[in-house]
Amino acid sequence: MNRRPHRAHLPEERPESTAPLPPPELTEAECRRCGTYIAGLDGRYACGVCGWVNDHSEGHRRLPRADEDPDRPPKGRRRPRQLPWPPPEPAEGPPYPC
């Protein structure tokens, strides 16, 4: 099991941004693989026909950091515990004793 690095080893903290993020811009292009006309956000594309995706670094603006996401859960909140998978197999025989 990999452990998360301690706080001292994390990358430098960035100052909190209070400015609202600009809305994404709808952009259009041709798929570089199959030529289908596709649309994307801020120059980032994914073709639904052939599956081609351009690299995120080709976008027109930087991607927002996680702390800039308005839908991010508050600090200290944990993800719900996942149930074991696959579910247990049902027991052989009648569903209840006769």
Side-chain angles (χ1 to χ4, degrees):
M1 177 165 108
N2 294 336
R3 294 183 179 260
R4 287 186 163 190
H6 295 288
R7 194 91 174 129
H9 297 129
L10 291 175
E12 64 188 69
E13 293 292 324
R14 296 184 178 141
E16 293 293 321
S17 173
T18 57
L21 292 173
E25 177 187 350
L26 184 62
T27 54
E28 300 166 340
E30 283 189 14
C31 172
R32 293 182 195 159
R33 185 183 295 164
C34 69
T36 302
Y37 190 71
I38 55 177
L41 295 175
D42 292 331
R44 293 177 178 90
Y45 304 104
C47 179
V49 176
C50 70
W52 172 82
V53 178
N54 72 332
D55 191 67
H56 73 278
S57 63
E58 295 178 32
H60 301 160
R61 291 185 257 190
R62 72 170 181 83
L63 291 170
R65 298 187 317 258
D67 60 342
E68 295 172 326
D69 183 1
D71 298 327
R72 183 179 183 190
K75 272 191 170 180
R77 183 172 160 201
R78 294 180 149 187
R79 289 185 179 189
R81 191 169 180 187
Q82 297 293 318
L83 296 173
W85 189 256
E89 294 289 326
E92 294 293 324
Y96 51 88
C98 296

